[in-house]
Amino acid sequence: MENYNEFTSLGLSEKTNAVIRKKGFEKPTPIQALAIPVLLNSESDVIGIAQTGTGKTAAYGLPIVDKIEEGADFVQAIILVPTRELALQVTEEMNSFKGSHRLQIISVYGGQSISEQLRRLKQGVDIVVGTPGRILDHLSRGSLNLDKVSWVVLDEADEMLNMGFVEDIESILSHAPEERRTLLFSATMPDRIARLSKKYMKNPQRLEIERQQMTTNLTDQIYFEVHESNRFDALTRIIDIEPEFYGLVFCRTRVAVDELVARLIEHGYAADGLHGEVSQAMREKILKKFKVHQINILVATDVAARGIDIVDLSHVINYSLPQDSDSYVHRIGRTGRAGKEGTAITFISANEYRSFVTLQKITKNTIRKEKLPHGRDVVAVKKARILGELSSIVEQGTFGDYLGMAEDMLTSTSPEVTLAALLKMAFKNELSEANYPEFRTFNVDRKGKARVFIALGKRDGYDPATMVNMIKQKVKLADSKIDEVQVMENFSFVTVPFSDAETLLNALNKEGRGGRPLAELASDSKGGGGRDRSREGGYRRSGGRDGGRDGGRDRERGGSSRPPRRSRER
Ligand code: ADP
Ligand code: MG
């Protein structure tokens, strides 16, 4: 007897159900269960909202493949996506739904040779998947005709709008006939999408899967407060302490991605980065390395990370805060796929606190605060790892010339001293706790007040009254809100409501002093005193060492344990 598969109750044809069985889909995802019957049994336009990774492609793709006419000589469906990566992915997924349906599906996107696209379009295609710019290009060349299109899909609509494709989309829609069906799929539903849908869709049915449910059930969300100067060390501690770190690290800009990758590699980590300037060929190469765990850290911008289809991430790290709550949901939607638990970590610095408070409100405070791993714990984990590797080498028991060398070494020094010297040689000061300074937290008290350090003092001609006046000039703040004004020789402290602190910091730091910020939230641990007494360097890994992290993976791949301090190839 055939196994019961819930897909069969959605109304798809036997031809399509056979494809689903072959693909191994066992159960429709919630958005598929909602959307597929509506798309099959009505003529309604549809807005489908569900988090990234919830199978939206199949939600529209299966019914389209099912309903499309075989052997027509015109384009019947067009699927708009924001990036070429997604164009390729969606095309591949759509092709996998074809089974015995005789259909031509192609993708068109910028950066790919247009002549090849022209050739394929001429041969006749049923479904075109593409980025708005290139589709528009073909429309104006006359190489693509949408006169008889019955389906227009706007996939990842929020991202297309983010990328400024709105006019292109409107222009494409104007080429499609009135009686088409318009489907819009998105992970989030910003107002701009609502406006677009009002204008271009006919009484759309809105099908929405609560995203809160998804993110909180599957993903452990935590945040760490970090000082700007500790950000990198905080990241490496998290990576070091995890037995199997396999994560995506988000930065906001291309430059930040490049800088972080360079720094990670310099410190011996297996990392690489993706952003808009990375060529398609390179991107595919990097993704492949990541998929086979040749690298275990992938640093990316939001846009570059779109469409990355990796299911077993242990971590998503917001190295800097996402632009908005939608991006946050997109970012962390990547952990906890396939029912596995992942951890989403967000770093916030004093300057990001305000945006973070908003984010917390929107996510209903599901992000809980944790303390960064203590240096002593990182050292303990590293030591345990080294001992583990050591004993597996001892077990293998083939030492070759090393035994003789060991005997020679022991003639002049004691075993303890010899071993200690070898450890020092291999690990430098990496295993010394002193190398991991205590991270400071910042001073945000529970009553919502913040103590602000200002790098101006008596030397600069201030006293408490003129300091208050200066602040009032910079930001609109009532006297009563500026508290505990303390003016010293070279700097001052004031206490302001937390909600005003950021504005004040921004206003003061716009000017700065010789490129240094004029103001910052005061440190907690030093009793409200002192600037960041520049702790240059701080914790550093010794060059090229890799704490044994990927040693395990190397062995799994059949390689031998790597000698210490060999730098990684990119
Ligand atoms: P989204 O567009 O919502 O981000 P995708 O359509 O890219 O998600 O799907 C993510 C992954 O889930 C793909 O690899 C897809 O093949 C897989 N998938 C989709 N539907 C199912 C299902 N019902 N069962 C198992 N895997 C599925
Ligand atoms: Mg998608």
Side-chain angles (χ1 to χ4, degrees):
M1 203 188 78
E2 206 170 272
N3 282 337
Y4 175 74
N5 184 320
E6 275 178 52
F7 266 109
T8 55
S9 63
L10 298 180
L12 291 159
S13 69
E14 179 43 37
K15 236 183 192 179
T16 304
N17 280 326
V19 172
I20 293 166
R21 274 195 302 276
K22 184 143 172 264
K23 262 194 86 81
F25 286 5
E26 293 173 332
K27 190 177 176 322
T29 64
I31 189 69
Q32 290 163 2
L34 274 186
I36 292 174
V38 174
L39 293 174
L40 289 175
N41 304 320
S42 79
E43 291 301 316
S44 184
D45 282 359
V46 162
I47 297 176
I49 310 287
Q51 216 193 320
T52 304
T54 55
K56 293 192 287 297
T57 319
Y60 64 77
L62 290 169
I64 290 180
V65 166
D66 212 53
K67 288 193 94 174
I68 230 165
E69 208 181 308
E70 284 183 40
D73 61 351
F74 50 83
V75 174
Q76 304 181 65
I78 177 161
I79 300 167
L80 300 180
V81 295
T83 63
R84 40 187 185 183
E85 169 90 11
L86 277 163
L88 289 166
Q89 239 178 62
V90 168
T91 308
E92 194 182 322
E93 185 92 341
M94 291 296 290
N95 265 315
S96 79
F97 298 152
K98 272 194 324 197
S100 59
H101 295 278
R102 280 179 300 111
L103 293 174
Q104 287 298 323
I105 306 171
I106 67 159
S107 55
V108 300
Y109 48 86
Q112 186 197 40
S113 129
I114 198 146
S115 53
E116 168 67 10
Q117 293 174 4
L118 289 171
R119 195 182 60 77
R120 300 229 25 210
L121 283 167
K122 242 196 180 130
Q123 287 175 346
V125 296
D126 301 283
I127 302 176
V128 177
V129 183
T131 49
R134 187 50 73 92
I135 297 245
L136 208 51
D137 212 5
H138 282 291
L139 284 170
S140 55
R141 280 166 181 260
S143 46
L144 178 62
N145 185 326
L146 301 182
D147 286 352
K148 297 185 185 165
V149 140
S150 24
W151 307 83
V152 176
V153 183
L154 311 179
D155 195 7
E156 312 266 355
D158 52 354
E159 197 58 24
M160 285 202 286
L161 296 192
N162 281 344
M163 292 173 72
F165 282 136
V166 94
E167 283 166 18
D168 289 358
I169 293 170
E170 294 186 333
S171 170
I172 292 166
L173 288 171
S174 72
H175 280 82
E178 265 296 299
E179 56 288 358
R180 66 164 193 266
R181 284 180 86 174
T182 311
L183 318 181
L184 186 155
F185 283 81
S186 187
T188 59
M189 184 76 187
D191 289 345
R192 289 174 302 156
I193 291 195
R195 282 202 291 280
L196 187 78
S197 68
K198 272 217 184 76
K199 225 160 133 189
Y200 295 99
M201 298 175 81
K202 292 176 301 242
N203 303 320
Q205 275 209 48
R206 182 170 163 156
L207 310 172
E208 181 164 6
I209 306 299
E210 275 284 319
R211 71 167 105 115
Q212 203 55 40
Q213 207 178 308
M214 298 291 306
T215 58
T216 47
N217 284 353
L218 293 180
T219 307
D220 191 26
Q221 299 172 67
I222 58 185
Y223 75 90
F224 296 111
E225 290 169 351
V226 294
H227 269 271
E228 209 46 63
S229 52
N230 295 141
R231 220 179 263 272
F232 182 75
D233 293 340
L235 175 65
T236 54
R237 277 192 201 183
I238 288 165
I239 296 170
D240 286 345
I241 207 147
E242 265 320 301
E244 287 287 328
F245 185 91
Y246 182 55
L248 200 51
V249 180
F250 281 97
C251 295
R252 278 207 196 176
T253 65
R254 180 166 51 79
V255 176
V257 168
D258 283 341
E259 278 174 7
L260 180 56
V261 169
R263 213 163 159 196
L264 283 166
I265 289 172
E266 184 197 330
H267 286 77
Y269 292 93
D272 215 328
L274 289 181
H275 52 63
E277 303 274 284
V278 175
S279 74
Q280 184 66 15
M282 196 60 200
R283 180 186 166 93
E284 273 155 31
K285 228 165 146 182
I286 292 170
L287 279 173
K288 195 158 167 206
K289 278 201 295 183
F290 191 51
K291 275 191 179 156
V292 300
H293 292 240
Q294 201 180 334
I295 52 172
N296 66 327
I297 307 166
L298 185 62
V299 185
T301 55
D302 290 279
V303 168
R306 262 307 170 99
I308 294 178
D309 179 25
I310 289 169
V311 287
D312 53 345
L313 292 175
S314 69
H315 288 75
V316 166
I317 297 190
N318 296 309
Y319 193 65
S320 45
L321 211 57
Q323 237 111 26
D324 50 36
S325 56
D326 290 351
S327 314
Y328 179 80
V329 172
H330 272 305
R331 286 179 176 189
I332 73 159
R334 286 161 204 293
T335 57
R337 285 190 177 191
K340 281 185 197 163
E341 173 107 340
T343 304
I345 291 177
T346 303
F347 286 172
I348 53 164
S349 67
N351 289 333
E352 291 170 319
Y353 215 96
R354 188 105 173 262
S355 332
F356 182 71
V357 170
T358 317
L359 181 64
Q360 275 286 37
K361 268 191 208 134
I362 292 167
T363 56
K364 306 201 168 71
N365 290 304
T366 44
I367 315 171
R368 66 167 207 286
K369 179 171 165 171
E370 284 230 341
K371 282 224 159 72
L372 280 160
H374 200 280
R376 124 179 113 254
D377 300 327
V378 177
V379 170
V381 167
K382 286 188 173 185
K383 281 183 181 165
R385 225 176 254 153
I386 291 164
L387 287 180
E389 282 197 54
L390 193 64
S391 59
S392 78
I393 294 171
V394 169
E395 253 167 52
Q396 285 166 21
T398 41
F399 304 110
D401 294 342
Y402 288 132
L403 269 183
M405 192 174 165
E407 276 160 19
D408 288 348
M409 286 161 81
L410 288 176
T411 55
S412 49
T413 40
S414 73
E416 296 84 10
V417 169
T418 309
L419 263 177
L422 265 178
L423 285 169
K424 193 171 168 190
M425 195 166 109
F427 300 102
K428 302 259 164 34
N429 52 3
E430 194 181 326
L431 302 176
S432 137
E433 275 179 42
N435 206 23
Y436 300 77
E438 195 75 55
F439 289 142
R440 293 167 315 130
T441 51
F442 36 82
N443 190 16
V444 182
D445 75 28
R446 263 174 251 102
K447 291 188 291 294
K449 298 257 182 172
R451 188 89 171 136
V452 175
F453 166 91
I454 300 173
L456 296 170
K458 288 183 188 147
R459 186 190 55 182
D460 305 286
Y462 287 96
D463 61 28
T466 50
M467 177 61 61
V468 168
N469 277 336
M470 188 275 291
I471 290 173
K472 280 163 60 188
Q473 249 176 37
K474 301 277 177 208
V475 288
K476 285 201 188 93
L477 259 185
D479 272 356
S480 60
K481 289 192 168 174
I482 309 172
D483 241 359
E484 302 171 318
V485 182
Q486 217 181 338
V487 179
M488 331 280 208
E489 189 55 33
N490 296 313
F491 52 83
S492 311
F493 290 102
V494 299
T495 299
V496 294
F498 189 71
S499 50
D500 295 303
E502 196 195 32
T503 326
L504 177 60
L505 293 181
N506 286 344
L508 290 171
N509 290 336
K510 230 185 271 161
E511 290 151 28
R513 173 178 266 175
R516 308 203 63 184
L518 260 181
E520 61 186 47
L521 288 190
S523 149
D524 221 357
S525 55
K526 302 282 191 289
R531 257 182 104 67
D532 185 356
R533 299 185 182 94
S534 183
R535 197 183 280 119
E536 282 302 299
Y539 156 60
R540 295 211 126 211
R541 308 183 118 231
S542 49
R545 248 306 291 184
D546 167 79
R549 135 106 36 248
D550 274 332
R553 291 215 166 91
D554 277 351
R555 280 197 298 279
E556 273 163 35
R557 287 200 303 269
S560 58
S561 196
R562 194 166 3 85
R565 307 216 295 120
R566 192 188 84 184
S567 59
R568 291 183 172 274
E569 306 125 49
R570 278 201 79 171

